[in-house]
Amino acid sequence: TVLPAHLPEALTHRSTPTSLFVLHLDGETRVELTDLVHRFEAEVIRWAMRRAQGQQTRAAEILGIPRTSLQSKLTRLQDGE
């Protein structure tokens, strides 16, 4: 019989109920904070755009930022920054 104790921690670890996200950094020896922040921001923006069904004004409202700021961030994402 396979019990939870037999499984790797990556499969059994659960975030706390108050956590909005989970980082998967096990096995990493070094990370670039700036890169992680950009990647996180990109994921959140994509989430907001999906939730807003592509409407930039609504996505900006969801994110609590001005629409022009969202547009700047979207342009940077499209340019691959």
Side-chain angles (χ1 to χ4, degrees):
T1 303
V2 177
L3 300 172
H6 299 124
L7 298 173
E9 184 179 338
L11 295 177
T12 59
H13 177 73
R14 301 217 190 272
S15 60
T16 60
T18 58
S19 178
L20 293 176
F21 57 92
V22 175
L23 291 175
H24 297 284
L25 298 175
D26 293 343
E28 298 291 333
T29 56
R30 184 173 187 272
V31 295
E32 293 289 333
L33 181 60
T34 304
D35 181 52
L36 288 177
V37 170
H38 286 297
R39 290 169 58 188
F40 176 77
E41 182 180 64
E43 287 297 320
V44 172
I45 289 171
R46 283 192 283 271
W47 167 82
M49 290 297 292
R50 283 192 307 272
R51 182 139 190 192
Q53 299 177 335
Q55 297 177 19
Q56 292 181 6
T57 300
R58 180 67 187 125
E61 290 171 356
I62 290 168
L63 294 171
I65 62 174
R67 179 185 50 80
T68 54
S69 295
L70 176 62
Q71 288 173 327
S72 295
K73 292 175 185 298
L74 287 169
T75 299
R76 285 199 316 269
L77 287 175
Q78 290 172 347
D79 291 343
E81 291 183 27

